[in-house]
Amino acid sequence: MDSNGVRILVDLLTLAHLHTSRATVPLQSNVIEASPDMKRESEKEWYFGNADKERRGPFSFEEMQEFWKSNVLTPKTRCWAQGMDGWRPLQAIPQLKWCLLATGQAVLNETDLATLILNMLITMCSYFPSRDQENAIIRPLPRAKRLLSDNTCLPHIVQLLLTFDPILVEKVANVLHHIMQDNPHLPRMYLNGVFFFIMMYTGSNVLPIARFLKYTHLKQAFKSEEAKGQDIVQRSILGHILPEAMVCYLENYEPEKFSEIFLGEFDTPEAIWSSEMRRLMIEKIAAHLADFSPRLQSNTRALYQYCPIPSINYPQLENELFCNIYYLKHLCDTQKFPDWPIKEPVKLLKDTLESWKKEVEKKPPSMSVDDAYEVLNLPKGQGQHDESKIRKAYFRLAQKYHPDKNPEGRDMFEKVNKAYEFLCTKSAKIVDGPDPENIILILKAQSILFNRHKEDLEPYKYAGYPMLIKTLTMETTDDQLFSKTSPLLPAAAELAFHTVNCSALNAEELRRENGIEVLQEALSRCVAVLTASSKPDDMAVQVCGHIYKCYSVAAQFEECRENIVELPNIIRDLCRVLYYGKKIPRMATLAVECVSSFAVDYFLQTHMFHAGVLWHLLGYLFNYDYTLEESGIHKCEDTNQQEVANSLAKLSLVSLSRLGGYILEEDGPPENPTVRKSLAAMLTPYIASKLSKTTPTEVLKLLNSNSENPYLIWNNGTRAELLEFLETQQEGIIKRGDCDKSFGAEFVFSEHGKELIVGEIFVRVYNEQPTFPLEFPKAFAASLLDYIGSQAQYLHTLMAITQTGKVESDQHGERLRWVEMALEALRNVIKNNPGSETECMGHFKLIFSLLRVHGAGKVQQLSLEVVNIVTSNQECVSNIAESLVLSNLLPLLHSLPSSRQLVLETLYALTSNTKIIKEAMAKGALIYLLDMFCNSTHPQVRSQTAELFAKMTSDKLIGPKVRLTLMKFLPGVFMDAMRDNSEAAVHIFEGTHENPELIWNDNSREKVSTTVREMMLEHFRQQRDNPDVNWKLPKEFTVAYGSAQGELSVGGVFLRIFIAQPGWVLRKPREFLVSLLEKLTELLEKNNPNGETLETITTATVCLFSTQTQLADQVPPLGHLPKILQALNHKNNTIPKSSIRIIHALSDNEICVRAMASLETIGPLMTGMKVRSDMAGLACEALNRMFQKEQTDLVAQALRVELVPYLLRLLEGIGLETLDNPAATKAQIVKALKSMTRSLQYGEQVNEILSRSNIWSAFKDQKHDLFISESQTAGYLTGPGVAGYLTAGTTSTVMPVVPPPVDSENGDQG
C-alpha cells in the first residue's frame, strides 16, 4: 500500500478484458446474439502523438499493436485514451506496457492473473475490517478500503464484471461486498454502472451477487431527498431493472432464497420470474450500455459514464397489479393459490387502499409521443423512430444535462428522462384513466384479507367505505351494468360483506355511510333481472348472495336492524330471491340464512311473514332426502346436488324455528304467535312443536316420510296438498302481490278435516294405538273431557227425541260416533297413563250423566269403562262420593245386561268409601244387587255380587245396617258365606239344604227371588223417571220363606237338626253357646216353661258340650252357673232334671268344676237328686267326676250338707224305689263315695262315716262297671268335622236338576 502497489494491482486487473478465448456460459451466447451492437471488431479508442507532435487517432488496439510492430510507436511515444487523466508515454500505460513492451513467456493468462489479484485484494480487505470488536464502525475507513474506493481503482474493479467470467464475477462481487461495508462512498456507487454490469451476468453462481445486492440496493443516493418515504421499489436502484416482486423478494428474504428465485421459473403471488424474463432484462441492459463493453476490449481503462435506465417492461407482467409484495391477480386466484400466506395483513390492506386511490385518480398520460420527440431533439412527423436512435439522443442529452456535470441542467435532465421513459414504455398498456380490472383485483384482495385475517383486522375500522360506497353507487346507477365486461359490483358487494363480517366497528361505519341503503338499491337492481333461468355464475345472482350475506351480519346490530326495518324493499326482494332460488340453491341458502338473522327482531319477523316468506321456506323442506343423510357415505356440497338441497332444507327449518321464536336461547328470536299459528296449521301442531325440541334432521325425516300416529297423519296426499297450496301462494305473491289473507293460519288438510281432533291429537288413531306415549296425557284427558262436555247436552236431547234409540240422520250418526271415540280415547289415556285420571275430578257429574243416555249403549258402556278405571284412584273415589251420582250407575245393572260385571267391579272399587256405601243404600243398590244375586243367570255376576255384599257388610259404619237389611231377605248364613267364599254362597242359594244352620229349598228360593225382582223393577221405574228417588224398606218387612217355620232356632241354629247332627261343624260355636245358655237360663227361671222346648234346649246344650268340649271353658265367665245351680231348687221338677243334665255335662271340665267348688253346689245338687231320684245316677256320676278333679272344697261342702249319709241311704235303696235299674245308680253312688275318700284333707273323715255304716262294707269291694251303661251322648260323637256349609254328615243338599230360565236380551228390564 505504501508503494502504490494497490494501484499497480488494479492496473494489472484491467488486462483481464483482453482475454477473449475464455469459455462462455450457455445463456451468454443467446444474449450476445440477441444484441448485435455488442459484437464488433474493436473500438477505436487510442490516440498518439508522432515526432512532429501531431495528434493521430483514433485507432483500435489491434492497430496500435501493428504500429508497435512497425516501430511507429516507441516506449516514449505519448498516448491517450478515454479514462486517462492526460498524455502519457507508452511505457507508463499499463495496457500498452504489458501487451507491447513485455517480452518472454507469459506465466499466467489475463484471467488467472486477475483471479490472483482479486484474491489478494479480498485478503487485504479481511485484514482491515470495517468494524471493531464492539461492532462500532471504524472511522476513517481502513486504508486498504479507502485506496480501493478511490475513483482510480473502484470503477476498474467494477468493470471487471463485464468480462462475464464466472470466477472473476464471483470474486469481484466478494471484493465489492468487502469494500462497501460501512463505506461512506457506498451511496454513489451506482455511478460506476455496477448494478447494470452485475445484472448482466449470465452465469448461475449468483449467491455472492445476491449478497452484494441485498446490502447495497437500497443505499444508493440516486433520488432526491424527498423520495425517502417511498416504497422499496422506488427506493431501490434495481427498481427500473427488476420487477417489483423481485426487488421485494431481495429485501424480504435471504440472499439464498432470492438466488433460487432468480435462477428458477416461478409464477406465484410473490414472484413471477423466468429465464425468459432474465434474458429480456440482460438484453435491455446491454442495449442501454450500447458499445461500452466492446470498448473495454480496446481500452481496458475506459470509464463508464452513468446514465439511468428506463423501467424494463416485462410482457409477462402486462396485466399484473403489484401491491405490497404480491401480484394481486395471483393472490386472488384462490383456485391456484388457496390460502397463500400473507405476512403483514394490515400493511397489505393499507397498500391496497392506497393502490385503489391511485387507480381511481389515474389520469391519461400528460405527454404525447411528439412532445417526447421534441424534448429529445428528434424530428417529428416521420413516424416511429428506432429504439437505438432514441437511446443515442437520450445519452447525448443526459450527459449534457447531468446534474453532476451541469448543476443548472437538473430540470432539463428530468424532462429528458421523462421523455425517454415515456417512449420506452409506450408499447406498454396505457389506460385512459382507472382500469376496472385492477379495481376488481384490489376489491377481491381486500375480501381475501378480511376473510383470512379477521383477528388481525378486527381492531381497525375500515377506511375504504367512502370509495366502496361510491363504487357501489356508480355501478348500480350505470345503465350498462349488465353488459360490462368487467363489472365491479360483485366484488364490491362481497367486500362490503367481508368488512362487516370482520368487525362490529365496520357494521356501524357502513350504516353511517348509508351503506345499507346503497346495498339495497344494488340489490333491487339485480333482483329485478332474476328469472327462472338465471345461473349461479350470473352477476345478478352473485351480487344478491353477497348483499344478503352482508345483511345477515348487519342484522346482529340493533341500529342496523332499525335501518333495515325502514327499507321494506329488502324483504320484498328477499322473497323474490327465495322464489327464484329453487333453481339456484346456493343463492337460496344465503337468502335463507338472512331470514334466520332477521328473525332476531320481532318487527322483521312480522315484515317477512307478511311478505310471504313462509311460502318459500316451507317449500324447501320437501327437497330433503333422509336416505342420503343416513347412508354414511362421504358427501360434499361441491359434488353432490342432493347434499346442497339437504343443507338448504335444514337451514330453512332453522329459519322457520327462529321466525316463530321456537328456539329458546338467551338473546334469541322473540316468540311470534302469528307465525306459530300459521306453522301449526300448515305443518300440523305436532311437527310445529318439534321445532323447539328436536334436531332439524329428525323433523325433516318426519316431513318427508309417511306416518300415522295420534299426533300426526302425514302421507303423500297431505304433502302434495300442502305443496300445491304453497306453490299457488308463491306464484300469487311474486307475480300478483296477493296471497292467502290468513297466511296459512286457516289452512286445513282435507284428510284431517274428516278426523276428530281433540287437544291436537287424532282420536281415531289414538284409539288404534292406545299405548302410544303421549307428551302431555293429562292435558289430552282434560281436552277430551271438555269436548265430551260440549256434546253431552246434544246427546241427551238426541236420545230424548229419538224414542226408538236408533239414530236416523248421518250427521247425528257421526256426532254420536265422535263422542264414542272421545270416550274411548279418555278410557285409553287414563288406562295407559297412570295419574291422568285425576283430570276427571270435577267432571264426574258429566261422565255419570252419560250412563243415562239410554239407546246409545256404546256411550254408556265406554263411560262405564272410564268410571271403572278411575276408581283405582282414591282421590277420584272421594270426588265421586261428593258428586252424588250413583243413581246414574245403579240402573245399568238392570238396563245394560252386557256390562253388569263391569258395573259390579266399579261398585266394588267405589264401596271402599263409606259415603258411597251410604249413598248406594239410599239409591237402592241393595235391591239391584239382590236381584243380580237371586235372579241373574250368569254365575260370575252372582259371585261378584256376593263379593260386593261382603265388602259392604264389612264397612264399620254402614256395614251392620247393610247386613240387617239383607237379613230381611236372606238367612244370615248367606252373609257369612258371602264373606268367606262368594261362589259357595251362590251354590248354597241354588241348592236345597237342611242342616243345623240352614233350611233352604225351592220354595224359599222362589219366594225370595220373586219378591226381590218385583221390588227391583218398581224401584227401577221410579228411578228412571226421577234419579233423585230414594229406596226404603217398610219397617216390619221380612220375606217369609215357610220352610223354616215352626223350627226352634237359637243363635241361627235349628236345634232339632243339631241334636240329630251334633257333629255338624258350626260356623260360630261360641255365639251359639251364648245364645243357647241365655235361652236355657231364661227357661230355667220360669215357673212353667214349655217342657218340650226345655228338653230340646237342654239336649242341644249337652250335645254341644259333648262334641265341642273346649266350649265348656267359656261357661263360668258368662255367669250362668249360679242360675243353673239355683234351678236345682225349683219347684217344677222338670227344671232340676235339666240342671242335673247340664251339671253332668260340665263336670268333665276342670274350669267349670273349679267354678262350682267356689259356689254352693253340693247342697242344691242333693236337693235335685231328692226331687228327681231318676237322675241320682247321673248326679252321682257328676259328683264322682267333680271329686276327682277338686277334692277339698267340694268334699268339705259334701260333709257339711251330709251328703255321705244321704248317699249311704240311697245305697240301702231308700229313695230309689221308682227306678228301673237301681243297680246302675248304686254303682255310681259307690264310685262317688270312693272318690270322696281319696281327699287328702277330708278322706279320713269320710272313711270314718263310711266305716260306721253297715251297708258300705257290702258295697265297697265290689266292681260295678258292668252296671254302668254308655253315656247317652256318646251316640252323637261323629268325629271332627270340617268347617263349611255343605260338609255336614247327613245334610240333604239337592242341586237343581232342571236348568234355570234363560235371560233374554231385555229379559231383566221388566
Side-chain angles (χ1 to χ4, degrees), residues 1134-1152:
T1134 55
I1135 291 171
K1137 181 185 177 184
S1138 291
S1139 286
I1140 290 167
R1141 286 180 68 188
I1142 300 296
I1143 289 165
H1144 175 263
L1146 293 174
S1147 64
D1148 241 352
N1149 184 286
E1150 204 166 326
I1151 295 171
C1152 291

Side-chain angles (χ1 to χ4, degrees), residues 915-1109:
K915 198 171 177 186
I916 288 181
I917 301 178
K918 193 173 178 184
E919 190 193 347
M921 284 281 291
K923 296 297 173 190
L926 293 185
I927 198 68
Y928 284 114
L929 294 171
L930 278 166
D931 181 51
M932 288 296 101
F933 184 73
C934 300
N935 297 315
S936 173
T937 54
H938 196 303
Q940 183 64 29
V941 168
R942 297 175 76 174
S943 64
Q944 269 183 279
T945 311
E947 282 173 24
L948 182 53
F949 277 142
K951 188 172 181 187
M952 289 173 77
T953 52
S954 65
D955 184 80
K956 288 190 175 63
L957 206 61
I958 315 290
K961 191 179 176 187
V962 175
R963 188 183 177 91
L964 285 170
T965 310
L966 288 176
M967 284 173 72
K968 300 261 177 109
F969 293 91
L970 293 171
V973 68
F974 280 103
M975 273 74 285
D976 299 329
M978 288 169 181
R979 186 189 64 223
D980 298 338
N981 184 330
S982 56
E983 285 173 16
V986 179
H987 279 292
I988 295 170
F989 186 84
E990 285 302 318
T992 301
H993 307 276
E994 188 165 293
N995 64 44
E997 293 183 312
L998 179 65
I999 297 172
W1000 188 255
N1001 53 32
D1002 293 348
N1003 284 340
S1004 43
R1005 184 168 52 251
E1006 183 61 35
K1007 185 145 193 197
V1008 170
S1009 298
T1010 313
T1011 310
V1012 164
R1013 169 50 64 111
E1014 285 169 0
M1015 288 181 79
M1016 183 278 296
L1017 289 175
E1018 177 57 32
H1019 180 60
F1020 174 74
R1021 279 192 286 275
Q1022 289 179 10
Q1023 201 165 44
R1024 189 174 54 190
D1025 300 336
N1026 174 16
D1028 299 329
V1029 75
N1030 283 353
W1031 178 78
K1032 278 184 190 150
L1033 268 179
K1035 271 186 182 172
E1036 300 304 317
F1037 173 84
T1038 180
V1039 177
Y1041 19 84
S1043 52
Q1045 283 178 348
E1047 287 284 351
L1048 177 58
S1049 162
V1050 174
V1053 177
F1054 298 110
L1055 298 186
R1056 178 182 62 77
I1057 302 168
F1058 178 68
I1059 292 164
Q1061 301 173 17
W1064 176 263
V1065 180
L1066 297 166
R1067 289 175 300 116
K1068 297 178 181 174
R1070 188 175 183 282
E1071 283 85 337
F1072 177 47
L1073 170 70
V1074 172
S1075 304
L1076 206 54
L1077 287 174
E1078 277 177 359
K1079 187 76 176 167
L1080 177 69
T1081 50
E1082 185 191 320
L1083 287 170
L1084 289 176
E1085 286 170 347
K1086 283 185 178 177
N1087 287 332
N1088 290 305
N1090 183 319
E1092 194 183 334
T1093 307
L1094 182 61
E1095 182 68 21
T1096 308
I1097 287 174
T1098 306
T1099 309
T1101 311
V1102 171
C1103 287
L1104 181 64
F1105 288 141
S1106 63
T1107 53
Q1108 302 201 27
T1109 52

